[in-house]
Amino acid sequence: MDRFIRKKLLEEKSLIPFVIINSVIFISVQFSLSKRISSEVFFLELKITNFAKILLSSTRLLGIEVLLPVNWENEKFFIKGDSMVDKNNSNPRTMFIERRLSYRLQLDNSTHGNAFMIGYSPEDSEKIYKQDIVGNGSGQADILMRFDTPYPDRLYYFCPDESGAGGPILIKDSDSVDKPNQRTDILLTFSYGQPEKAYQILVREVLSTPWGEIFCERPQWLGEVPLPRGLNFSR
């Protein structure tokens, strides 16, 4: 991405200055992708004509999440991830999760009626995992996950009504030697205005390297959205 500028300025969920010059918004955002960049602030260049008349205002960051779209096809859940990951693994449906990152599984309309569950056992709804997850067992809306403790290190996603619909979830530390280096889609949600409204920006395929983060795609402005599940305007 051209004209990316880093700076250590803000803490997570602090106020984010918006400055518009020639209908271009520079948004300072703190990414919490890993320990290496937990204090980094990135300036994203986005063309947003809807705010062309605003000279200077401020917004508030509500959430920084890894976005994982989920759909239902051929009697299975499919979770969009990095297609280059896990080529030689015996189970290509393995989902890798990094500790201390927030994940949003976004279930589309095709999943309705098929409960998406996460548990200790591959297909046992009696052993559903009840911590660290919002919306576990939902057949619609979003499911939120964040694991801040050393355990568990393995769970399973499945549909209780359809055998073979899911796969394993491996939860890794950011510095784990066997953690695949995944290209990650980052969803930024922030509030603006009075009364406050929610807006989102999607940054696709962020790749972490020993020399810093590589941004493979330009950020995508998603615009105003209903306040996402698990986020709130309260300060």
Side-chain angles (χ1 to χ4, degrees):
M1 181 183 305
D2 59 355
R3 288 196 286 178
F4 246 86
I5 307 171
R6 296 193 193 187
K7 225 174 184 182
K8 296 181 178 179
L9 290 176
L10 304 176
E11 293 183 356
E12 187 171 344
K13 295 191 177 181
S14 61
L15 287 177
I16 306 170
F18 264 42
V19 180
I20 301 178
I21 303 174
N22 294 327
S23 301
V24 175
I25 294 184
F26 294 88
I27 306 169
S28 60
V29 177
Q30 177 188 10
F31 280 170
S32 301
L33 293 180
S34 67
K35 292 180 181 178
R36 291 191 299 277
I37 61 171
S38 61
S39 298
E40 302 264 82
V41 172
F42 296 84
F43 285 78
L44 308 181
E45 178 191 67
L46 292 175
K47 293 182 179 179
I48 308 172
T49 57
N50 290 343
F51 292 121
K53 295 183 180 180
I54 302 174
L55 296 180
L56 180 65
S57 61
S58 64
T59 70
R60 190 165 59 92
L61 185 62
L62 302 179
I64 304 174
E65 302 165 311
V66 177
L67 178 64
L68 296 174
V70 180
N71 70 296
W72 178 265
E73 184 179 344
N74 297 326
E75 311 305 319
K76 290 180 173 60
F77 287 117
F78 284 88
I79 302 173
K80 181 187 177 299
D82 189 344
S83 60
M84 300 299 291
V85 168
D86 202 29
K87 275 191 170 182
N88 299 318
N89 193 283
S90 58
N91 187 347
R93 296 175 58 75
T94 299
M95 179 165 61
F96 291 92
I97 296 294
E98 187 172 320
R99 297 187 197 282
R100 291 174 289 280
L101 291 186
S102 299
Y103 288 79
R104 180 174 294 272
L105 279 68
Q106 203 166 67
L107 280 63
D108 72 7
N109 292 337
S110 66
T111 66
H112 290 187
N114 299 293
F116 187 104
M117 285 191 175
I118 297 173
Y120 294 103
S121 181
E123 294 181 347
D124 188 349
S125 58
E126 297 297 320
K127 297 181 179 180
I128 189 171
Y129 186 73
K130 297 181 179 180
Q131 306 175 59
D132 307 314
I133 301 174
V134 175
N136 198 355
S138 175
Q140 56 185 346
D142 295 350
I143 296 175
L144 311 181
M145 298 190 300
R146 184 183 174 97
F147 301 94
D148 290 327
T149 59
Y151 299 99
D153 55 12
R154 177 186 287 264
L155 294 169
Y156 299 88
Y157 67 97
F158 60 94
C159 176
D161 302 319
E162 190 68 47
S163 178
I169 300 173
L170 301 184
I171 304 164
K172 303 286 187 178
D173 293 327
S174 61
D175 56 357
S176 176
V177 295
D178 60 346
K179 179 181 72 70
N181 194 5
Q182 301 181 84
R183 292 174 296 181
T184 305
D185 290 353
I186 303 298
L187 185 64
L188 309 175
T189 305
F190 57 94
S191 67
Y192 169 79
Q194 289 296 329
E196 288 183 285
K197 296 181 180 179
Y199 299 85
Q200 288 182 330
I201 296 168
L202 180 61
V203 187
R204 296 186 184 276
E205 299 193 353
V206 180
L207 181 64
S208 180
T209 76
W211 305 277
E213 312 310 309
I214 296 175
F215 298 86
C216 304
E217 301 286 343
R218 292 182 65 85
Q220 178 184 354
W221 170 251
L222 302 182
E224 183 180 347
V225 297
L227 184 64
R229 183 180 202 171
L231 301 181
N232 59 74
F233 292 132
S234 62
R235 297 176 182 270

